Amino acid sequence: MTGRAESPTSQRLSTGVQLILRVLHHFAPHRWTHARLLKWGVTGRTLVIAVPYLWLLLFFLVPFIIVLKIAFSETQIAMPPYQPLVHWVGDKAVNLTLNFGNFLFLLEDNLYWKAFLNSLKVAGISTFFCLLIGYPMAYAIARADSTKRNVLLMMVILPFWTSFLLRVYAWIGILKNNGLINNFLLWTGVIDQPIVMLQTDFAIYVGIVYSYLPFMILPLYSNLEKMDLTLLEAAQDLGCGPFKAFMKITLPLSMPGILAGSMLVFIPAVGEFVIPTLLGGPESLMIGKVLWTEFFNNRDWPVASAVAIALLIFLVVPIVYFQRVQARETGGGVHR
Amino acid sequence: MSRKVPLFRLSVLVFGFAFLYVPILSLIVYSFNKSRLVTVWAGFSTEWYGRLFENQQILGAAWLSLKIAAINATGAVILGTLAGLALARFGQFRGRTILSSMTTAPLVMPEVITGLSLLLLFVAMEQIIGWPAGRGVTTITIAHMTFTMAYVTVIVQSRLATMDDSLEEAAMDLGARPAKVFFLITLPIIAPALLSGWLLAFTISLDDLVIASFVAGPGSSTLPMVIFSKVRLGVSPDINALASIMVLLVAIGVVIAGILMSRQEKTRQRDMQMAIAENQ
């Protein structure tokens, strides 16, 4: 139906493409390359699959194998920052005895455990607050008139298009001791001493909730918008109050949206680096910050790799789960 | 009841959007502050904008970032379209599950992991095959393409899933080859999705600090890297000026996109009415 309706516009659009194609078609190389490729058994279909496949294999999957390898390599020899891999060409048996050193180091040093647990806690609490703020917003947008809906949705996405780094930076000016909030409270006389907010865990929570809120709202919105409203009418006809109808119908039906949004917030938040660095205190322990410090400040590539592997192990379950949800969602198709 | 519920929804929206927009507005307001102390108001001034345009380091980094973002977005759209096409149109093929998970994992993968793993790959590749020699624009672009193509894939895949494929089938029935069908039918229809994918890839690349920091070499500091090293030391008014300019550019872009989209929607509706009239 929509395809047919669109055809006059797309026809106009396609005449341009058609022209380009006709010009291309008269190029001899295009013809013989095609014939030769076919002789090799390379069809267009294989190429369409192979190009992104090989790209991702090389630049997404293989790197993890290298990280794993380096995580199992010796620490001291790796200290010169730009030649850390030299020694893994060496004797395998020797390597194997030293192998688990980096991971044992992670286990023995309390710092890493605390950082991991604290990251999970911070990400978990932030996800909860994102849901607490995001759900009512997504709900209100999904139930607004269709004309306003697009504008409201646009307003949710808009901050996402402006720099993440600068939006986090904005909170420094708001939260610091002589910042916006403290100045306002001092001026109204509610407090006579500035409240210390910057460089605390509170600031990290605010930063994460603020930055990741659109990621929570969008999947929730697309879920709530699809919902069959006649179910609610039926429940009301049967004497169900609005609150009960929400708890019995809307909430359970929106569970896929809640889970997708929560994964989109939780997983990246666990490894967050920018927010704890800019808003948190120097002693705030987040694993992303620890990895960064090991890598850039201590130049200890094997330990940084071991931290990355450990973080991946923590996240593999939520990531695989997210992929399942994502595959189902894109199959059915509503995503921005 | 019908009065109470909209009030609740209204307050939710007002509170929510205030939370989203007050920080951005505060950045803009303080960019016009005379005082160096950013949050202490000392009168209106455009001094910091002048200072910003004298700062060669920021201007150079901005130019580099824009270049990387444009190349990245183009590459990401090509790769993402291929992947989205394969996932949405080719049914089951060998390696489909792997391809599908490799295109969704980068969406949520913590940036520190992606950055570290790509750097280690580039170092290993340099040792084994001598390419890429050193790190810089090339490595940053490759890294950005790898994780922004995931966004393009999702957009293209979901656009293709909702698209009516009867036109494609009709063209195929009339003897058009798959490549021709793609360029003549599919591509024009999904063109708006490709445009939004391009813009998204562009913005994400322009904004990325963590991955770029890992894979950048000496002398290839991108704009976020320069901003980060400045704001790490505290607030600085010229960064507020920079932020305001970026917000302004995004706002202009969104307004233009909105106008174009509503115009396209109007033509579409007119076409639809014409089509209905012709059929009668």
Side-chain angles (χ1 to χ4, degrees):
Chain A
M1 176 62 210
T2 43
R4 269 188 68 178
E6 269 174 14
S7 59
T9 333
S10 40
Q11 238 164 30
R12 217 168 303 145
L13 265 165
S14 64
T15 35
V17 184
Q18 216 162 3
L19 240 161
I20 297 169
L21 258 192
R22 225 172 269 163
V23 173
L24 276 178
H25 204 72
H26 285 287
F27 268 98
H30 158 247
R31 286 182 175 163
W32 64 253
T33 340
H34 190 246
R36 183 171 292 180
L37 284 174
L38 274 182
K39 213 193 297 173
W40 292 338
V42 181
T43 59
R45 194 187 140 96
T46 5
L47 276 178
V48 169
I49 299 173
V51 172
Y53 195 94
L54 292 176
W55 179 282
L56 285 169
L57 211 61
L58 177 61
F59 294 117
F60 188 71
L61 221 54
V62 173
F64 287 120
I65 298 165
I66 297 174
V67 174
L68 196 66
K69 226 168 179 178
I70 294 180
F72 282 118
S73 63
E74 204 179 342
T75 306
Q76 293 112 300
I77 309 172
M79 280 309 270
Y82 290 108
Q83 289 179 323
L85 310 184
V86 184
H87 63 283
W88 50 257
V89 216
D91 188 68
K92 278 266 154 49
V94 177
N95 247 357
L96 217 64
T97 48
L98 298 164
N99 263 347
F100 291 92
N102 300 317
F103 288 97
L104 285 176
F105 179 61
L106 292 192
L107 282 175
E108 279 163 9
D109 199 326
N110 271 335
L111 173 104
Y112 298 99
W113 270 115
K114 277 187 189 153
F116 268 117
L117 292 178
N118 195 48
S119 303
L120 292 175
K121 187 188 95 183
V122 168
I125 295 176
S126 308
T127 309
F128 175 74
F129 278 102
C130 263
L131 190 61
L132 211 62
I133 302 172
Y135 196 101
M137 281 185 81
Y139 184 84
I141 296 170
R143 297 286 173 273
D145 327 332
S146 55
T147 42
K148 286 182 200 145
R149 213 182 288 162
N150 283 335
V151 177
L152 292 173
L153 204 59
M154 199 55 173
M155 283 175 68
V156 172
I157 301 169
L158 198 61
F160 177 75
W161 290 89
T162 60
S163 167
F164 161 74
L165 189 58
L166 291 172
R167 278 183 293 132
V168 175
Y169 162 72
W171 282 98
I172 301 179
I174 296 173
L175 294 174
K176 63 181 189 157
N177 281 356
N178 59 351
L180 207 58
I181 294 178
N182 274 320
N183 278 354
F184 179 75
L185 290 178
L186 286 169
W187 177 72
T188 54
V190 178
I191 50 167
D192 48 12
Q193 285 287 318
I195 311 168
V196 180
M197 286 179 286
L198 193 64
Q199 305 211 323
T200 63
D201 279 358
F202 170 74
I204 301 181
Y205 290 125
V206 171
I208 295 181
V209 172
Y210 175 70
S211 311
Y212 288 92
L213 191 59
F215 291 104
M216 180 63 91
I217 296 178
L218 293 176
L220 275 174
Y221 165 80
S222 77
N223 176 288
L224 288 167
E225 189 235 19
K226 277 186 294 191
M227 217 184 88
D228 186 1
L229 290 179
T230 54
L231 287 173
L232 287 177
E233 281 170 25
Q236 257 166 8
D237 288 348
L238 295 171
C240 194
F243 180 73
K244 201 176 172 193
F246 174 81
M247 294 304 278
K248 290 256 173 197
I249 297 168
T250 314
L251 197 61
L253 279 179
S254 58
M255 225 39 184
I258 293 178
L259 290 172
S262 301
M263 294 294 124
L264 273 175
V265 175
F266 180 79
I267 303 169
V270 173
E272 185 53 57
F273 164 75
V274 174
I275 296 169
T277 310
L278 289 183
L279 300 180
E283 73 289 338
S284 76
L285 274 177
M286 290 279 283
I287 201 65
K289 227 173 110 179
V290 170
L291 195 156
W292 181 285
T293 316
E294 287 298 345
F295 186 82
F296 286 101
N297 302 9
N298 305 346
R299 297 192 179 271
D300 194 336
W301 293 20
V303 166
S305 303
V307 171
I309 294 294
L311 182 54
L312 259 185
I313 292 170
F314 270 100
L315 292 179
V316 83
V317 175
I319 288 176
V320 169
Y321 184 75
F322 167 75
Q323 285 176 335
R324 289 260 175 85
V325 176
Q326 184 69 22
R328 229 177 315 162
E329 281 290 301
T330 37
V334 185
H335 202 280
R336 282 173 28 104
Chain B
M1 190 209 103
S2 56
R3 277 185 54 84
K4 232 170 78 188
V5 175
L7 189 68
F8 167 72
R9 286 189 212 152
L10 190 70
S11 48
V12 161
L13 288 177
V14 169
F15 170 77
F17 284 116
F19 180 57
L20 283 176
Y21 283 90
V22 165
I24 298 174
L25 290 178
S26 80
L27 274 183
I28 298 174
V29 170
Y30 284 122
S31 73
F32 294 107
N33 187 3
K34 205 178 235 160
S35 163
R36 175 171 280 282
L37 287 163
V38 183
T39 50
V40 182
W41 188 258
F44 182 86
S45 151
T46 50
E47 184 192 344
W48 304 112
Y49 287 86
R51 291 273 180 91
L52 180 68
F53 285 106
E54 286 163 15
N55 192 329
Q56 286 306 320
Q57 192 198 10
I58 288 184
L59 292 183
W63 176 236
L64 181 76
S65 280
L66 288 172
K67 263 195 304 197
I68 292 176
I71 301 170
N72 156 66
T74 311
V77 164
I78 294 169
L79 287 170
T81 308
L82 292 176
L85 193 68
L87 289 171
R89 284 284 188 269
F90 287 2
Q92 275 303 324
F93 54 85
R94 215 156 24 127
R96 188 184 193 280
T97 324
I98 299 176
L99 183 63
S100 140
S101 25
M102 284 195 304
T103 52
T104 46
L107 293 176
V108 288
M109 190 62 69
E111 288 172 317
V112 280
I113 297 182
T114 314
L116 177 72
S117 64
L118 275 164
L119 171 72
L120 297 180
L121 172 83
F122 291 138
V123 171
M125 277 171 72
E126 194 182 358
Q127 283 187 336
I128 296 165
I129 60 169
W131 184 89
R135 283 170 298 281
V137 178
T138 317
T139 50
I140 300 174
T141 312
I142 291 174
H144 281 180
M145 272 166 73
T146 307
F147 88 110
T148 54
M149 76 169 274
Y151 290 85
V152 182
T153 308
V154 171
I155 293 176
V156 170
Q157 199 188 340
S158 56
R159 181 70 190 91
L160 285 172
T162 51
M163 184 185 136
D164 181 6
D165 54 4
S166 58
L167 273 179
E168 289 172 343
E169 278 168 20
M172 219 93 92
D173 288 345
L174 294 172
R177 295 168 41 133
K180 202 171 180 186
V181 174
F182 176 76
F183 282 108
L184 288 187
I185 312 242
T186 320
L187 199 60
I189 294 180
I190 65 168
L194 296 189
L195 182 66
S196 61
W198 193 93
L199 288 172
L200 192 62
F202 184 86
T203 322
I204 294 171
S205 164
L206 200 60
D207 200 24
D208 167 64
L209 166 75
V210 175
I211 294 175
S213 299
F214 274 99
V215 298
S220 59
S221 291
T222 61
L223 186 60
M225 286 159 76
V226 173
I227 294 174
F228 185 69
S229 64
K230 268 186 92 101
V231 300
R232 221 175 173 173
L233 307 170
V235 283
S236 99
D238 46 352
I239 295 297
N240 282 53
L242 178 70
S244 309
I245 292 172
M246 285 170 88
V247 170
L248 183 75
L249 289 179
V250 169
I252 292 174
V254 168
V255 168
I256 291 174
I259 293 171
L260 284 179
M261 256 145 78
S262 73
R263 190 177 292 172
Q264 202 193 10
E265 180 65 19
K266 270 180 202 148
T267 351
R268 202 180 74 87
Q269 273 173 2
R270 208 179 49 218
D271 287 345
M272 194 139 73
Q273 276 164 1
M274 271 168 60
I276 293 168
E278 272 168 31
N279 281 347
Q280 274 168 354

